[in-house]
Amino acid sequence: GEAEAYVACLQDVSGLHNTRAALDRITHYDPLTGLPNRSLFRDRLQQLLESGGDQGGVGVLLLNLSRFRRINEGLGHTVGDDLLAAVGQRLRHRLAAVNTVARLSADEYGILVADTRGPSGLDLLAQRVLSWLRSPFNLHGHSMHLGAAIGVAISPQDGTAPASLIRAADLALQRARTGPGGPVCFATATAGAAAFEHLILEQALREAIQNGQIRPHFQPQLRLRDQKIMGAEVLARWHHPSMGLVSPGRFIPLAEEAGLIVDLDLAIWRAAATQWRVWIDAGLEPGRLAVNISPHHFAVRGLIPRLRAALAEAGLPASRIEVEITEGALLSPLADVGARLERLRALGVRVAIDDFGIKHSNLVRLLSLPFDRLKLDRFFIEGADRDPRKVALLESLVDLTERLGLEAMIEGVETPAELALAFATGACYAQGFLLGHPLKPGAFEDRLTAQA
């Protein structure tokens, strides 16, 4: 009954362990920097939130490098990759003992703080991170300086789940990159609510354009010598069923940002051109219809075919249209802008430069580009009756415009004194609230009928 021998079966599982370790590293770590990736960052954030974050809340810092793209393009991707690795090494050396440092995307890093010690503690940490990055990185014979923007979110006030906290920190990062608040911004509940409202409004705008809720209003343009309506500028107005009247200053920039401006322009052109045709067929004389083209729309292909199709659909001759383009749309090289304007005029429309004189005015372009009318911004006439210098400037601009063979229209006439001054300058045309607010089609038709 006594054992005489033992038999052992051994199996080498080193390869299996190595394979599992390699798979784990591929799945959870960034190959360039060796830092945790986005997936592991979220997992560790989840663990911190479940454990209570040492009872002091959990902090999420998202960091985006500035000037990296310029270095990457100027010195090449090899230098750029080495720079990203050096940034990761510096952050890991300074922070990884007590916090998780991760690389989330190309030039964006994340930092998890288990015990925030309040916003002041996180702000101090963020400022230290910025100072560490300001020290030069010496690579491949180059001394490179980086800056950064940092967005900060804190649990529980900014979120209690990984997705909500990261989203709040990302919103704060966007404000840090583009806003006036400096390189470090904290998330707030109002920022998240504003972003959510922005998304809701964008979706509502898409539906409004598709369903014809964006309606044209017409602001009269008058000939000064007899104050007769010679045309109108069509303006977009949006009355939402539940939100009420939405300001153009709110939904037009949103349309440009969301890539909806072409569809918005087209919807207004079609509605306005159709209404113009109705008035002409009724024996009224509405004059020339002025339509606006966004700088974003002016820069994309297909503008002229879209305008031609809208006019053909309404049965309105191109000679009845004046296209208004702001100075900002003319910042491309002269040859490119000139070719586009020439194609517009070849269609048969007239071209006016809107808001002239306040942003990117370039007198050389007056000689080089094919315009028909300059619309002088309200700035020049506002308060001019109390400022002789403005009077001199306005008179000179009107005289210059007429001498160049162009028509001068003064915008923003709102008082009798401004109207008298506009008339005294010798300008041919004017537009403004004193002469007529943007009117619904029925009200504008009444004005046309009254002067018939």
Side-chain angles (χ1 to χ4, degrees), residues 382-395:
E382 183 180 14
D385 55 324
R386 301 182 301 276
D387 188 344
R389 296 175 305 167
K390 273 196 172 183
V391 174
L393 184 58
L394 184 59
E395 289 177 342

Side-chain angles (χ1 to χ4, degrees), residues 89-103:
Q89 184 178 3
R90 187 175 293 185
L91 292 175
R92 178 168 48 193
H93 174 70
R94 302 275 188 169
L95 293 168
V98 291
N99 305 294
T100 292
V101 180
R103 183 183 178 218

